[in-house]
Each structure stands twice: as structure tokens, then as C-alpha cells.
Amino acid sequence: MKTFKSLAGGLLITLLSTATQADGHSADRVLVGGVVYTADTMDRVAQALAIRDGEILYVGSNAGVEPYIGDETDIIELDGRMVMPGIHDSHIHALEGGSEVGGNCALPSSESVTGYAEELRRCAGLRLGTDWVLAYGHDLETLLETADSPVALLDKWVPDRPVAIMEQSSHSAWVNSLALKLAGIDASTPDPAGGIILRDESGRPTGVLLETAAERVFELSQQPNPEAAEINYQGLMYTLDEVAANGITSFSDARVYWQRGWLEVWKRADKEDRLNARVNLGLWAYPEMNDAQQIKALKNMYQQSPDSLLQINQIKLYSDGIVHNTTAALKAPYKQRVDPAIPATGLNYFTQQRMQRYIAELGSAGFDFHIHAIGDRGVHESLNAIEQAQQDGSQDRRRHRLTHVEMVADEDLPRFAELDVIADMQVAGTFTLPGYEHWQTPYIGNRAYKTFRLKDLYDSGAHVVLSSDWTVSPMSPFIGIQHALQRGKQSISLTQALRAYTINAAYLMRQEQLTGSLEVGKAADLIVLDRNLFETPVKSIKRTKVLLTLLEGEETWRAEGF
């Protein structure tokens, strides 16, 4: 037992190593002379750590680690740098963000839609895994403010191929006439459940599709084929490199479109031993699919294996849309809506009753639910569905979570803890910070100043995690950590933010006994940072760089020069 001074707080703490060198075996690797944040139950901080056979052998003082050093031990001198558990990012669009099917055409920022024309014409010359022209990044508000017909503009720029452009937030599509024809959308087509086909005064589609109406064309444009499968695979390899460079050792892919062949891409990466992190897949629940058929199909995809890095054990389901498209489900009406066709209080991909059925039947099969819920009504109905699924006695309490949770009514705050529902919030985007409420006030008025209730959720006793929602927001966890500390009355502490990205998220991924904290006997999933976060000014945390990433003691990333 070694006693030493914590470099983070100046407190004397005691760490006990349950391992000894009685067998004469030294450590494979020792990290010494640093600030080792453990994220254990006491948030203890050590100076050194030893690893053998992929497990943590010792955590404690510099002097205490010396007996674990042998002739073959790799010694890393930390020189005061910080070591912490590997980041668990429970909300990444891994395959989706890395794939270049369609050419990965990102539209430039522009104050007018005509600024998109040049890039779209360039994209029209590409044919990568699809006959469609696919692009990303238009601003819906800019598109709707133009005097020109959105569909007519695309018809003029790209007249001979179907075009589908995903909005910045992924909650709408801008399409041309060929795309509408292939999707079977015309003046007589009814709005799908959870979606809106915007129309002109004559009832003809304008080329702007919201929510599930947009999903319909994207699904059509990305039908599985060998070329697309290979492009998707290479895109996944790119993402895995980015994941390691950002210190992420575990993550959840937040939307696996299994009808596009994406599940096979993941299984190939696993079979070929290309995974460099622990992965939970969130299988997409298609809102327009027959419930009985879909539930049966999803049950057959379930996979939970302790010997694999890949687990297929989550269902991604949308309750509602988003505020700035006025499709998030609200308890009180919007002040104004993007289009009069949108219901006054937003819309639902899945109603509360449908959610309850999915949660009951698929929860009993072992799945945890990852439910997109942004509006206060969306959050309320999602909690109701989980509560009712629990009460029918068909399953034990799963580790379900609501993601985004941007608006939470006072009466629903305590229900997260009462129902064991995890609150998964993303704050890496600058738009989430105090001072940016103005972008929502035209739609929800003063309610915009009571969004992103991060501290309120913590104080309510909820199990809170933080995640990126990459590519919507930056992947770097240190941007999210900094923003969690810059929220005024809704700020949390540094240790709370660190736990939200480590042990709390490990619990969400059902890995807390294996990883998520630096404790003897756990897997050596850890990262070395270029600075001590406990001594870093808050405004500089986002500049933190990862120098080394280890998964089970093996390097998945090492910065040049370290």
C-alpha cells in the first residue's frame, strides 16, 4: 500500500494494488511520472500505472510501480502529462460519417443557394457506389427563403441524374424531379408517418422533404451493391483511424442502416480483425417498415459476445425531429413553423404506443434502446413508453437511453433516475452554448433559454453521459468537455465531465466491469494527453491532443514524436 500526494487536488490518497510480483513476472509496460486520473468510485488520481497481458496490473505511486519494472518492460516517462481511461463515445455516426458513397460532396457555406451550384455540378460527374448524385450540408432556412423553386434549381443544375442533398442536421433532403419520380412522390402522395413533403400552392412537391420523407429517398439512393460495400468499408477504416487519434477506445455507432448492407460491412471489419475499439451497433428502426416483420428481423441480428469487440445490442429509434426544422415534438405549440403543413407541436417518427411495443419485444430479446428525443413532448412520451414496457413484466430494466434531451420538462427530470433511463447529451457543437439561444427563439420563444439542462439532469440523480454525435459535431471529446464547463448555471465540474465520457458511458455500453476506469484487473484501455486537464484553463481544454491510445495495452494511436 502506497500513500502519495494527488497532483490534481493536493490531497493524500491511498491506492492498493491487488497484484504482486510473487510469480516473478514483470509488467509489459509501465507509465510513470504523470497524473493518472482513474475515474474509479472515488475519482482518485495516481502517478504511475503498470500493464501486463492487456490488463492493469498496478495503479499507484512512482515508487510503488518500481517492482513491476523488468528488463523487458517498456517504460513511458510521462513528465507530468495526464493519463485517463479511454474515451467512450456513445453516439458516433461511424460508417455514415466515413463513407464516400455518392462522392462525399460537402456543400460550401453560402448565404444563397446559388452558391451551391458549382460544387453540385462537380459532384454530378462522380459515380461512386450509386447512380444518384449525393451531397451534404445545405441550410434549410436558406433554401426555403430563396425565391426560386428548390426542385427547379436542381433540375437546372443536374438535369439527367437523381439528386438528394442531406441538410446539415440530416433531418431533411433537397431533391430534384428525377429523385421525386424514383421515390414515387407526386402531388397525390400522402405524407409518411413522421415526415412531411413540402408543397407549393398547387400541391406539387417543392423538392424539400422533411424527416421520414427524406429517409425514403436516401434509402432508395443507397441500395446495397458490391461497389458501395467496398466504399463503405474503406470509409469505416478512415473513421476507425480518427477514433483512435481522438483517444476513443469504445463507441456506439448510432445509426446502422442494415437494409443498406451496413451490418455486413461491420461484420467484415470484425472478421478481418480491423477493429481498434470496442463497438456497440445501434440498428436503425425504420419508421415505415411493418412492425412485426421488422421486430422479427432485428431479433435475428442480436449479438452479445464477451469475446468480441463487436456487439450488436442496441436499437436506434427516433421519437421526434429537431427544433430548427420545427419537427421536434413539443408539449406547447411552436411560435412559428418552417411550413404550415407541420403539426403545431411537431411530429413523431414513432408514436408512444409503437415505441412501447418495440421496447417491450426487443428489450426482452436483449436490446438496449437508443432513443432520439429532442422536444419536451418527445422526451415525455419516450419515458412513458419505457415505463410502460417495464410495467408489463416482459423484461428487466434495460440500459435504455434518451439521446440529445435538449428540452426536458420539470416533471420529467426525476423520471430518468426513477426509471433508470440514461440521459445522453451532446454539447460539442458551438450552437449548444449559452448565447446561441437566438437561433431557436423564433420557433420556441423563451423556451430556448431552458434547453440543454445538463446540470439539472445531474442534480436530479440521472445517469448522464456525454457524446459527440459526429459528424454533426466535432469528434474531439475535449471540445465537449470544455463546453460542459462553460454552460453558466448548467455547467458541471471537470470530473463529472470526465466521468460522462468514461465510466458513465462504459455503463451504458455494458462494459463498466471491463473498462471505463483505471483499476487493477481491468482492461488497459487508456490514453495519454499532452497536458494535465486539472491544471488547464477551461478555455484551453479543447486544444488538448492525444499522444497515445491503448486498447488492452496495445497501441492503436501514437502521436508523432511521442
Side-chain angles (χ1 to χ4, degrees):
M1 185 166 65
K2 301 293 179 180
T3 302
F4 60 93
K5 183 173 289 187
S6 163
L7 301 180
L11 300 175
L12 289 178
I13 65 175
T14 301
L15 293 180
L16 175 64
S17 170
T18 59
T20 70
Q21 271 205 289
D23 56 7
H25 292 166
S26 59
D28 299 323
R29 178 173 277 155
V30 163
L31 293 82
V32 64
V35 178
V36 181
Y37 170 67
T38 64
D40 67 5
T41 56
M42 297 179 64
D43 282 321
R44 292 181 287 189
V45 180
Q47 295 173 314
L49 180 146
I51 301 166
R52 185 169 69 201
D53 296 332
E55 290 187 357
I56 297 172
L57 185 66
Y58 172 83
V59 183
S61 67
N62 292 329
V65 82
E66 291 180 4
Y68 299 92
I69 299 174
D71 294 339
E72 303 298 321
T73 301
D74 176 25
I75 303 173
I76 297 178
E77 296 284 353
L78 295 169
D79 295 326
R81 298 185 183 94
M82 183 166 166
V83 176
M84 63 176 286
I87 297 295
H88 285 57
D89 193 331
S90 57
H91 190 139
I92 285 181
H93 295 283
L95 196 156
E96 190 172 1
S99 174
E100 294 190 350
V101 168
N104 193 29
C105 296
L107 299 184
S109 298
S110 177
E111 294 183 0
S112 69
V113 293
T114 55
Y116 302 142
E118 182 178 352
E119 178 64 11
L120 283 173
R121 290 191 181 105
R122 185 192 73 81
C123 293
L126 303 174
R127 289 184 184 270
L128 295 175
T130 179
D131 289 332
W132 288 59
V133 179
L134 300 178
Y136 169 87
H138 74 275
D139 177 73
L140 180 63
E141 187 174 343
T142 301
L143 181 60
L144 295 179
E145 287 177 350
T146 182
D148 299 303
S149 163
V151 68
L153 282 173
L154 287 184
D155 288 346
K156 179 174 65 175
W157 297 337
V158 188
D160 57 347
R161 293 179 62 193
V163 180
I165 305 170
M166 181 182 289
E167 180 209 351
Q168 291 171 345
S169 67
S170 82
H171 282 259
S172 74
W174 175 20
V175 301
N176 66 356
S177 294
L178 273 176
L180 289 171
K181 181 179 179 180
L182 289 172
I185 297 174
D186 57 27
S188 63
T189 305
D191 289 332
I196 302 288
I197 301 167
L198 298 192
R199 307 169 195 269
D200 62 20
E201 293 178 354
S202 301
R204 294 171 298 188
T206 65
V208 179
L209 307 173
L210 304 183
E211 306 298 348
T212 59
E215 288 294 330
R216 183 180 294 182
V217 295
F218 289 127
E219 200 65 23
L220 185 64
S221 70
Q222 298 194 50
Q223 292 297 298
N225 64 76
E227 183 184 9
E230 183 60 31
I231 294 170
N232 284 330
Y233 185 78
Q234 296 306 322
L236 178 57
M237 295 303 104
Y238 162 80
T239 297
L240 291 176
D241 287 343
E242 290 296 301
V243 160
N246 280 280
I248 297 167
T249 55
S250 294
F251 66 89
S252 296
D253 191 327
R255 189 164 53 194
V256 177
Y257 289 107
W258 47 277
Q259 290 194 125
R260 300 181 191 178
W262 288 11
L263 188 55
E264 286 70 29
V265 172
W266 275 107
K267 288 183 175 180
R268 175 186 168 189
D270 185 32
K271 182 179 180 181
E272 295 181 1
D273 199 26
R274 298 294 298 275
L275 298 181
N276 61 358
R278 306 180 196 279
V279 181
N280 287 13
L281 299 186
L283 301 174
W284 177 245
Y286 290 88
E288 292 195 78
M289 193 170 180
N290 173 272
D291 290 340
Q293 292 177 354
Q294 178 158 227
I295 289 171
K296 181 179 179 181
L298 291 169
K299 283 182 178 179
N300 289 333
M301 298 178 211
Y302 179 80
Q303 174 183 306
Q304 180 74 39
S305 172
D307 298 324
S308 175
L309 291 175
L310 183 67
Q311 312 299 336
I312 308 171
N313 59 359
Q314 296 181 359
I315 299 294
K316 180 61 178 294
L317 181 150
Y318 273 26
S319 170
D320 63 354
I322 56 176
V323 171
H324 68 271
N325 284 8
T326 62
T327 53
L330 304 186
K331 289 190 170 186
Y334 284 94
K335 288 174 61 66
Q336 68 179 54
R337 285 164 285 159
V338 164
D339 190 274
I342 302 171
T345 58
L347 50 77
N348 295 92
Y349 276 62
F350 281 79
T351 64
Q352 179 179 315
Q353 185 177 9
R354 283 187 79 197
M355 278 194 287
Q356 179 186 344
R357 177 180 179 182
Y358 275 71
I359 294 166
E361 296 192 33
L362 292 172
S364 297
F367 284 103
D368 293 322
F369 271 72
H370 179 179
I371 302 175
H372 167 113
I374 284 184
D376 51 7
R377 179 168 64 84
V379 170
H380 180 75
E381 292 171 351
S382 300
L383 292 171
N384 288 350
I386 292 171
E387 182 175 25
Q388 290 161 5
Q390 292 173 351
Q391 289 175 346
D392 72 8
S394 64
Q395 60 179 295
D396 61 357
R397 289 194 172 187
R398 309 298 304 169
R399 297 186 185 182
H400 302 316
R401 48 134 159 198
L402 305 191
T403 196
H404 302 306
V405 289
E406 292 181 13
M407 300 176 69
V408 183
D410 289 344
E411 60 268 26
D412 284 324
L413 280 172
R415 297 180 70 201
F416 283 86
E418 291 167 2
L419 299 174
D420 292 338
V421 175
I422 299 164
D424 172 23
M425 190 176 288
Q426 297 78 37
V427 296
T430 302
F431 65 91
T432 71
L433 287 170
Y436 288 83
E437 295 89 354
H438 60 277
W439 69 275
Q440 289 189 343
T441 53
Y443 308 119
I444 60 174
N446 289 334
R447 287 173 288 178
Y449 297 92
K450 203 174 181 181
T451 56
F452 298 100
R453 302 179 67 178
L454 180 57
K455 188 174 188 300
D456 287 346
L457 282 164
Y458 260 106
D459 291 347
S460 75
H463 188 102
V464 177
V465 303
L466 293 171
S467 55
S468 69
D469 195 14
W470 182 83
T471 59
V472 174
S473 295
M475 186 184 292
S476 170
F478 304 103
I479 298 175
I481 290 169
Q482 176 173 319
H483 286 182
L485 276 58
Q486 295 178 312
R487 315 202 65 76
K489 293 181 179 179
Q490 291 298 329
S491 296
I492 59 175
S493 70
L494 175 59
T495 53
Q496 286 174 326
L498 292 174
R499 293 184 71 83
Y501 271 107
T502 55
I503 190 62
N504 287 8
Y507 171 86
L508 181 154
M509 297 179 69
R510 295 186 175 270
Q511 297 174 356
E512 77 278 11
Q513 299 301 319
L514 174 67
T515 183
S517 61
L518 302 182
E519 300 178 74
V520 171
K522 280 196 168 185
D525 298 354
L526 57 87
I527 56 178
V528 178
L529 310 181
D530 67 347
R531 66 196 69 200
N532 175 3
L533 295 180
F534 293 104
E535 295 181 352
T536 300
V538 170
K539 65 181 180 180
S540 299
I541 290 175
K542 66 181 180 182
R543 291 195 281 271
T544 300
K545 301 297 182 185
V546 177
L547 302 179
L548 181 69
T549 304
L550 301 182
L551 180 72
E552 292 188 349
E554 298 295 325
E555 292 183 15
T556 61
W557 161 260
R558 182 185 282 264
E560 185 176 354
F562 180 70

